[in-house]
Amino acid sequence: MTKVTVPLPPLEAGRSAIVEVEGQRVLICRTAEGLHAVNEHCPHQQLSMEGARVRHNSVMCPHHGARFSLEDGRSLSPLTTKGLTFFACAVRGDRLEIEI
Ligand code: FES
């Protein structure tokens, strides 16, 4: 595991954004509790989750609606049993530290 910091994306609760970390695209999601970082490829059909909506403590793929937990990345949908890769992250001033 490597800790990498990126500029903190300006996100309101319920929104997500893609950031590049060490050549890998990571989906950053903001819930009411804080920020979460997951792999941006949906395991259902390997499509990008860019534009995914965040509700409560889960994120929904914009393509077919698969939902994943933002506690640990596990699937919450019958569309796939595979979950998202979950990365620990923490806000450090105006940057986001991600363990990747
Ligand atoms: S590609 Fe994400 S739900 Fe199908």
Side-chain angles (χ1 to χ4, degrees), residues 20-33:
E20 283 263 342
V21 183
E22 301 276 295
Q24 187 171 336
R25 286 162 57 94
V26 173
L27 184 71
I28 306 299
C29 302
R30 184 180 282 283
T31 65
E33 289 79 37

Side-chain angles (χ1 to χ4, degrees), residues 5-99:
T5 64
V6 297
L8 190 59
L11 284 175
E12 299 171 10
R15 301 293 181 135
S16 66
I18 303 279
V19 298
E20 283 263 342
V21 183
E22 301 276 295
Q24 187 171 336
R25 286 162 57 94
V26 173
L27 184 71
I28 306 299
C29 302
R30 184 180 282 283
T31 65
E33 289 79 37
L35 292 168
H36 307 272
V38 293
N39 185 355
E40 72 101 17
H41 277 95
C42 177
H44 177 230
Q45 290 187 355
Q46 300 301 315
L47 299 174
S48 172
M49 300 243 316
E50 187 162 12
R53 292 189 321 187
V54 176
R55 284 237 176 103
H56 307 294
N57 226 10
S58 68
V59 61
M60 182 184 296
C61 177
H63 297 287
H64 312 106
R67 283 192 324 119
F68 303 90
S69 168
L70 288 173
E71 292 175 357
D72 56 10
R74 74 186 182 281
S75 174
L76 301 173
S77 162
L79 288 173
T80 179
T81 57
K82 295 180 183 168
L84 298 172
T85 303
F86 189 82
F87 306 107
C89 68
V91 175
R92 305 280 184 231
D94 62 351
R95 298 187 67 83
L96 182 64
E97 181 181 87
I98 303 171
E99 280 189 49

